[in-house]
Amino acid sequence: MVASEATPFAKSGGLADVVGALSAELLKLGHEVAIVMPRYRRIAWEQTESAFDNMVVYAGSTPYRVDIRKAVHNGVTYFFVEAPYFFDRNGLYDDGGREYGDNHRRFAVLSLAALGVAQTVFPCDILHCHDWQAAMVPIYKADQQHGNPVFDRVRTMLTIHNLGYQGRYGKECFWDLGLNGGWFSPDKLEFHGDLDVLKGGLTMADWLTTVSPTYAREIQTAEGGFGLDPVLRLRSDTLTGILNGVDYEEWDPSTDKLIPANYSPSDLAGKRVCKQQLLGEFGLPADNPDRPLIGIVSRFASQKGFDLIAGLAPFLEESDVQLVVLGSGEWRYEQLFNAWQRQFPEKVGVWIGYNNALSHKIEAGCDLFLMPSLYEPCGLNQIYSLKYGTVPVVRATGGLDDTIQDDTGFKFSWYSTGALYDCLRAALGACRNRDAWKARMIRGMKKDFSWAVSAGEYSRLYEMLLGRD
Ligand code: ADP
């Protein structure tokens, strides 16, 4: 696996969960798995040990000297690329919202070092690359390793976790990659005069996957393709949608140590305790246990549907509901929620920032979970919500459409505040029938999205790529 983040070492979103959990699950199926990722500042050097010192990789004629460190977690070996000039920084991709100007070079070095790891300490059959940050692996493999017997039988897979992030930069950045000028063409790394790293990977990898069947279809359309739909349509025979699993060792209300009381489908009493405490933690009145509590845990990015949520002030005004929000990101959305907190102090609680423990408490303590995304490759929070008996209200897009059904949650299609409003009203109406609501919660809690199934599908693709099926 080659990725820019993986649990438990560095995480900014679902990508890290997938890389960490899928690797551990593949191990159970009998594969040998290693992850290559950067050693960011937040990963303590002392946690790692030397795997290969003084590896020199070349982007064209430019040499980069890196060390490879390693650590083992859940049986999976993590190889960390030690390159302080690129990775010893506070952020993974940016410093407080401003993207680092050398990301194309940082992740080129990650990809080159991954090939170095495969050449030296971890020979492999499959190089499974994730998102644009690892999309240069198949490119450098073709550019530099042609004729190298070590890589002769190695196959590459590229998984798209979010097509909205492509590593698209000005043409001048292309020259930093040290590739022959022939790579800068519309059927490879060029996108309308710019460098598009992901596009290069999508044209070069042996197989493509994305994280839900519906998203696999959506990215082949003009609406969901972010300009790359023609490339993806050309590759539709070698593109598979595999739904992400979730890690129920972390996310199960019957064992979760981060929530104040455990509960299960057969005994839901603990969920009331969780709700009571959550309201207290947000300083909201907890006088009526039947008043619906809506939760949001999210990156504050427009992809997540905040433009629709921004129109919900009248809904909050007229409804006897409460809302708790955890997230961070775009300033305008932080402002929106802070303003609501001032406007509706009894109804709205806000926590700006990243807080894993609080995200578990919100999943456990709420009645409804709101996720009206504009697009959603897979989405994890709605799957956690099902498990925690917190009924999801989602827009029917990508993985949200694949994981939420009408008997477990509430969905709307048209991307408008009006449609979201109607959907929320329907959910609140259904909430009043306590028995039917409880049955709906329990149906969701019993759904199984564990990794075993998805890992099996990846495993079958690997075997197929190696001609072993
Ligand atoms: P994305 O990867 O697009 O951000 P996903 O739903 O796939 O969306 O995954 C988001 C992951 O990040 C989930 O595990 C979620 O719990 C977590 N998360 C997002 N924002 C926060 C936050 N502010 N605090 C804690 N966890 C968060």
Side-chain angles (χ1 to χ4, degrees), residues 143 171 174-175 177-190:
D143 188 62
K171 182 180 178 181
F174 170 78
W175 301 112
L177 304 181
L179 292 166
N180 184 297
W183 284 95
F184 197 76
S185 71
D187 62 340
K188 298 220 166 59
L189 283 148
E190 182 191 348

Side-chain angles (χ1 to χ4, degrees), residues 215-231:
Y215 196 58
R217 286 191 295 278
E218 288 172 350
I219 56 178
Q220 297 180 57
T221 67
E223 296 76 39
F226 287 92
L228 293 186
D229 45 298
V231 179

Side-chain angles (χ1 to χ4, degrees), residues 69-89:
R69 310 282 305 170
K70 73 170 184 179
V72 177
H73 178 80
N74 275 345
V76 177
T77 304
Y78 289 67
F79 290 109
F80 300 103
V81 181
E82 177 76 21
Y85 40 95
F86 281 144
F87 300 126
D88 187 14
R89 302 181 188 178

Side-chain angles (χ1 to χ4, degrees), residues 11-15 17-18 161-162 165 244 251 297-300 303-304 326-328 351-360 363 371 376-382 384:
K11 165 170 165 174
S12 78
L15 167 66
D17 291 312
V18 174
H161 295 261
N162 191 332
Y165 300 86
N244 284 337
W251 295 95
V297 178
S298 183
R299 287 186 292 121
F300 289 163
Q303 174 208 332
K304 300 291 180 180
L326 164 64
S328 66
W351 205 98
I352 304 289
Y354 190 90
N355 186 332
N356 184 48
L358 188 56
S359 74
H360 284 247
E363 289 291 2
M371 216 165 154
E376 193 62 69
C378 178
L380 295 173
N381 280 307
Q382 83 281 10
Y384 302 150

Side-chain angles (χ1 to χ4, degrees), residues 323-344:
L323 171 71
V324 290
V325 183
L326 164 64
S328 66
E330 284 183 42
W331 188 74
R332 55 187 167 143
Y333 301 128
E334 293 185 6
Q335 292 292 100
L336 168 78
F337 291 120
N338 284 330
W340 278 3
Q341 194 173 26
R342 286 192 297 273
Q343 194 181 348
F344 309 107

Side-chain angles (χ1 to χ4, degrees), residues 296 298 302-310 312 369-376 393-397 400 412 414-416 420 424:
I296 294 177
S298 183
S302 50
Q303 174 208 332
K304 300 291 180 180
F306 288 107
D307 301 330
L308 304 192
I309 293 172
L312 286 182
F369 193 88
L370 187 55
M371 216 165 154
S373 303
L374 174 61
Y375 73 95
E376 193 62 69
V393 176
V394 305
R395 182 161 170 268
T397 180
L400 294 172
F412 66 100
W414 190 246
Y415 189 75
S416 72
L420 169 60
L424 275 168

Side-chain angles (χ1 to χ4, degrees), residues 130-384:
H130 298 267
D131 273 352
W132 82 262
Q133 292 91 349
M136 277 177 270
V137 170
I139 298 166
Y140 283 126
K141 175 176 171 282
D143 188 62
Q144 300 188 347
Q145 305 297 344
H146 190 67
N148 178 349
V150 172
F151 288 99
D152 234 15
R153 289 175 43 79
V154 173
R155 296 289 171 263
T156 54
M157 182 182 285
L158 177 60
T159 296
I160 305 160
H161 295 261
N162 191 332
L163 196 61
Y165 300 86
Q166 298 182 2
R168 197 178 283 172
Y169 304 106
K171 182 180 178 181
E172 66 284 358
C173 295
F174 170 78
W175 301 112
D176 294 332
L177 304 181
L179 292 166
N180 184 297
W183 284 95
F184 197 76
S185 71
D187 62 340
K188 298 220 166 59
L189 283 148
E190 182 191 348
F191 184 87
H192 298 290
D194 283 337
L195 163 68
D196 191 318
V197 176
L198 184 67
K199 181 178 177 187
L202 295 177
T203 58
M204 290 307 297
D206 294 312
W207 203 270
L208 307 177
T209 72
T210 188
V211 291
S212 69
T214 296
Y215 196 58
R217 286 191 295 278
E218 288 172 350
I219 56 178
Q220 297 180 57
T221 67
E223 296 76 39
F226 287 92
L228 293 186
D229 45 298
V231 179
L232 289 159
R233 279 197 297 276
L234 276 177
R235 297 224 46 187
S236 63
D237 292 348
T238 46
L239 167 64
T240 311
I242 301 177
L243 201 61
N244 284 337
V246 299
D247 185 354
Y248 288 128
E249 289 190 10
E250 297 282 322
W251 295 95
D252 180 343
S254 65
T255 52
D256 192 335
K257 293 191 177 54
L258 298 172
I259 60 176
N262 292 117
Y263 59 91
S264 65
S266 57
D267 180 8
L268 288 168
K271 189 163 172 69
R272 291 210 153 212
V273 178
C274 292
K275 179 171 179 179
Q276 195 82 7
Q277 295 220 2
L278 182 65
L279 288 167
E281 198 160 334
F282 275 98
L284 295 172
D287 51 322
N288 176 4
D290 291 330
R291 180 185 296 127
L293 176 59
I294 305 170
I296 294 177
V297 178
S298 183
R299 287 186 292 121
F300 289 163
S302 50
Q303 174 208 332
K304 300 291 180 180
F306 288 107
D307 301 330
L308 304 192
I309 293 172
L312 286 182
F315 167 81
L316 287 172
E317 183 93 57
E318 72 189 25
S319 314
D320 187 22
V321 292
Q322 288 166 312
L323 171 71
V324 290
V325 183
L326 164 64
S328 66
E330 284 183 42
W331 188 74
R332 55 187 167 143
Y333 301 128
E334 293 185 6
Q335 292 292 100
L336 168 78
F337 291 120
N338 284 330
W340 278 3
Q341 194 173 26
R342 286 192 297 273
Q343 194 181 348
F344 309 107
E346 311 267 280
K347 289 186 174 178
V348 178
V350 181
W351 205 98
I352 304 289
Y354 190 90
N355 186 332
N356 184 48
L358 188 56
S359 74
H360 284 247
K361 290 179 194 165
I362 291 176
E363 289 291 2
C366 289
D367 301 293
L368 294 141
F369 193 88
L370 187 55
M371 216 165 154
S373 303
L374 174 61
Y375 73 95
E376 193 62 69
C378 178
L380 295 173
N381 280 307
Q382 83 281 10
I383 308 180
Y384 302 150

Side-chain angles (χ1 to χ4, degrees), residues 2 32 150 262 372 401 467:
V2 189
E32 283 179 69
V150 172
N262 292 117
D401 203 18

